[in-house]
Amino acid sequence: MEYWKVEWHHDFTEEPIVLFSEIGEDGYETRKIQLYRDGNLLKADEAHENGTIGLSEIPVGDIADVAAQAEFSAWVISKSDFYEVWDRASWTTESRAT
């Protein structure tokens, strides 16, 4: 497994500003967390997805390619750092508008 933290630099009020991903050996996300400007943390896994948050449907690729895009800053983080955020996040809900 690999764990990513990706900051998304944008001005959209309803979109997440930080994405945390657990990436499996096959390159697909197995868990994801989204942090919003208001401090809301939502999480998803294969059993908990909806229109607000879900796992990538394609392999995520290389983190260097993500970091090379101007709208993102991206790092590999530790498993313990990922789980610290995971434990604070809430399961997805349909009540959040996107």
Side-chain angles (χ1 to χ4, degrees), residues 68-83:
Q69 298 176 52
E71 67 267 27
F72 299 113
S73 298
W75 306 268
V76 173
I77 61 173
S78 70
K79 180 179 181 177
S80 62
D81 286 346
F82 178 87
Y83 276 95

Side-chain angles (χ1 to χ4, degrees), residues 59-70:
V60 295
D62 189 272
I63 195 161
D65 294 333
V66 175
Q69 298 176 52

Side-chain angles (χ1 to χ4, degrees), residues 25-98:
E25 296 298 321
D26 59 0
Y28 286 89
E29 289 179 322
T30 57
R31 296 180 187 198
K32 177 188 272 181
I33 307 158
Q34 295 180 169
L35 170 64
Y36 293 84
R37 290 184 196 283
D38 63 4
N40 197 16
L41 279 169
L42 296 180
K43 63 184 175 181
D45 61 15
E46 290 181 8
H48 301 91
E49 297 182 276
N50 64 34
T52 300
I53 182 174
L55 304 178
S56 177
E57 295 180 2
I58 60 172
V60 295
D62 189 272
I63 195 161
D65 294 333
V66 175
Q69 298 176 52
E71 67 267 27
F72 299 113
S73 298
W75 306 268
V76 173
I77 61 173
S78 70
K79 180 179 181 177
S80 62
D81 286 346
F82 178 87
Y83 276 95
E84 188 275 323
V85 179
W86 179 263
D87 290 342
R88 291 188 291 121
S90 301
W91 288 111
T92 61
T93 65
E94 290 293 342
S95 62
R96 183 176 183 86
T98 57

